Amino acid sequence: MSRRTWTLVVSFALVAALGLLGAFVTVPYVALGPGPTYDTLGKFNDSEVVQIKGQPEQPVGGHLTMTTVSVSDEITLFGAFGLWASGRYALAPRDEFFPPDKSQKEVEQENTKAFRDSQTSAEVAALRYLDYPTKVLVGEVAKGGAVDGTIEPGDRLLEVNGRAVSRAEQVREALTDTKPGQQVPVVFRRDGERRTAQVTLGRAEDRTQGLLGVIPIDRPDVPFQIDIGLDEVGGPSAGLVFALAIVDKLTPGELTGGRSVAGTGEIDTQGKVNPIGGIPFKMVAAREAGAELFLVPADNCAEAASHTPDGLRLVKVSTLRDAVKALEDLQAGRSVPSCS
């Protein structure tokens, strides 16, 4: 073969090799983009997303949509370039979402747990906002701690150091004036039986008062049950929207005012709304689902304001109470906090 022919053959082989690499070799990145949306006032797989069992639900209207971010893994070089060039997706290092020291199953389990915890926090926050009572359960017991072997996870705490407790923060408040080594009574309930234990308080490096050695958690103390029928989603960022759906179904009137409302935000049991990641993609998903209004955690406002899709109005919220008030103010024609 001539020199020119050899040059063409080698060039073709290189192009073919690069094509194969680009088409089949994966890159250490994931693609982030708009994910599925779910109307928490509607149904999913023929069941209500948020259902109140044991108490009549109030009529609701409009849409209250939770948003998600899609994470595409195992993408090729060409696939990554195509997703990035579309302007709809962004690339992020894979290790940020799938740490090398954890299996994919472990990551999925953590995301599922975070989602379930967000549901529980949403329930507690909503019922607290509505002035329903709460109770304190023992979430974890420190191994070798003051109550190890006496109190178990799932026990209900009734009194600590002579003070009744109905919220988790009251457990620590009851120990404010105590010291390590001091004995205090703890009244708790297990399997319907009321019990009392004398506990010798432990010591912690970061506090001067005595340590009980438990993680108390708030739970609703109500004669009805709240079921959230989504099990295909991970992460904690749906908490705010779940809490609003619960409030809407337990109070008269339509909280949305018939609007299509979407939002995001992690929520704690006190009703505080915390920032989340991926808000530009969630806003795109919300707008494509028909949302007119998007509830934004206050700490996400700057990012949201710089990526707002056309036709989507942003409302800034810091707490569940803020969110409810904003929706009520919109119905009444009053101004509401924005991200601009």
Side-chain angles (χ1 to χ4, degrees):
M1 289 187 291
S2 68
R3 186 173 180 179
R4 181 178 180 184
T5 302
W6 273 110
T7 301
L8 289 173
V9 169
V10 171
S11 298
F12 177 79
L14 288 173
V15 170
L18 289 173
L20 289 172
L21 286 173
F24 296 104
V25 176
T26 58
V27 294
Y29 290 88
V30 294
L32 308 179
T37 59
Y38 305 89
D39 181 10
T40 58
L41 300 181
K43 292 186 176 183
F44 177 71
N45 289 341
D46 297 324
S47 297
E48 291 183 43
V49 174
V50 175
Q51 187 173 9
I52 313 295
K53 295 181 177 180
Q55 179 157 313
E57 292 186 6
Q58 298 292 330
V60 296
H63 301 279
L64 194 51
T65 301
M66 59 163 282
T67 53
T68 66
V69 175
S70 69
V71 180
S72 302
D73 191 22
E74 300 292 329
I75 54 177
T76 64
L77 179 62
F78 286 170
F81 179 77
L83 290 170
W84 173 81
S86 73
R88 186 178 173 83
Y89 294 85
L91 301 179
R94 187 179 188 277
D95 288 356
E96 292 182 7
F97 295 85
F98 301 96
D101 59 338
K102 295 180 181 178
S103 67
Q104 186 162 344
K105 183 177 181 180
E106 288 175 326
V107 172
E108 291 172 354
Q109 289 173 339
E110 288 180 359
N111 286 335
T112 299
K113 182 180 184 304
F115 186 66
R116 289 175 180 165
D117 288 346
S118 77
Q119 296 177 10
T120 301
S121 295
E123 292 176 22
V124 176
L127 295 178
R128 278 182 129 174
Y129 168 79
L130 296 173
D131 292 328
Y132 283 96
T134 58
K135 59 186 176 183
V136 183
L137 301 184
V138 175
E140 296 180 25
V141 176
K143 187 175 182 179
V147 300
D148 189 17
T150 303
I151 292 177
E152 300 175 356
D155 289 346
R156 178 177 177 177
L157 296 177
L158 303 174
E159 297 178 14
V160 175
N161 195 24
R163 296 174 59 177
V165 294
S166 59
R167 299 191 306 273
E169 64 266 24
Q170 292 176 333
V171 175
R172 184 162 184 167
E173 291 170 1
L175 300 174
T176 300
D177 298 325
T178 63
K179 297 183 181 301
Q182 179 178 337
Q183 281 201 335
V184 301
V186 177
V187 182
F188 61 99
R189 180 172 286 129
R190 180 186 301 162
D191 299 328
E193 179 185 351
R194 183 183 175 98
R195 305 185 184 189
T196 301
Q198 290 293 324
V199 175
T200 302
L201 297 176
R203 182 185 304 275
E205 294 181 358
D206 61 341
R207 55 190 289 189
T208 58
Q209 60 264 47
L211 187 68
L212 195 58
V214 301
I215 296 179
I217 53 177
D218 289 317
R219 290 293 182 267
D221 188 17
V222 293
F224 56 86
Q225 182 179 337
I226 300 172
D227 283 351
I228 297 179
L230 283 178
D231 55 10
E232 300 180 7
V233 183
S237 63
L240 170 62
V241 177
F242 283 143
L244 287 169
I246 294 168
V247 170
D248 200 4
K249 291 199 168 193
L250 288 174
T251 54
E254 297 181 357
L255 188 58
T256 64
R259 291 181 173 87
S260 182
V261 178
T264 188
E266 184 177 354
I267 199 168
D268 64 19
T269 57
Q270 310 297 316
K272 181 183 177 183
V273 179
N274 297 309
I276 48 78
I279 198 163
F281 309 113
K282 293 181 177 182
M283 292 190 300
V284 169
R287 190 69 188 108
E288 292 178 350
E292 318 159 40
L293 195 74
F294 195 90
L295 303 173
V296 181
D299 288 343
N300 284 122
C301 254
E303 181 183 16
S306 62
H307 295 86
T308 312
D310 291 339
L312 191 65
R313 182 178 180 182
L314 306 186
V315 176
K316 178 172 68 173
V317 298
S318 297
T319 65
L320 173 60
R321 190 171 298 276
D322 288 346
V324 173
K325 184 176 185 302
L327 293 175
E328 292 174 343
D329 286 345
L330 283 168
Q331 292 190 57
R334 296 186 289 265
S335 62
V336 297
S338 72
C339 288
S340 57

